Amino acid sequence: CAASVWRHLFQNLSSDLSPARPVAFWACGTVQLDKPAGRAGDLTDTLAHLGFPSEWVRAVDRDTASQLANMPLSRGGLYFPSGMRVRPDVLVDQLLDHPGIVRLTGRASTLTRAHGRWQVGDATGGVLAEAAHGILATAADTPELLAASGLLEPLPVLAAMHRLAGEVTALPASELDGGPACVVAGEGYVLPALDGQVVVGSTYVRGASETQ
């Protein structure tokens, strides 16, 4: 299945380490905090309803969550032992260098279905690539590409996509006692330290391509 393919790929990437090859990701765990009291939605109840395996995610109280994060937290939530701290720029570079991935250069203008396969076309009508399955990783350009392909009308959720610019702040890890031991997420998030810096974020601006 797709999950096993990706697991195999990531295992290969994580085993191919050298001083000249920076680490793109590492498993540190993630604590997802419950919403503040009085807010709708209880993560523990949601978890019980969904019935996910405990080795993938489990409910934790405030004390356990604080121990996992190695920092005081105001409430408990869910803990994902396999949660990762990822460096997207490094990960993308390593994926593009992987022998199982071929990169083609071009500008996609249409997506059509022909002979049981998806075809990506350019502005001249040429076919850039085709495959049995496709993934659109086109961010805010997705509605435009789908509309040009006659595929947007039955997908109202995608039609409502909008730009959402996020802001992050890098703080000296020393100011946060070295930073958390795992990812801590809630209404914002705090990441484990990297190169002496702790990244935190929570602010978003709707309809903007960037924030200052």
Side-chain angles (χ1 to χ4, degrees), residues 80 105 178:
F80 296 81
T105 301

Side-chain angles (χ1 to χ4, degrees), residues 170-196:
L171 304 172
S174 58
E175 297 294 325
L176 294 175
D177 294 328
C182 65
V183 175
V184 178
E187 295 178 294
Y189 64 85
V190 187
L191 302 182
L194 177 65
D195 297 332

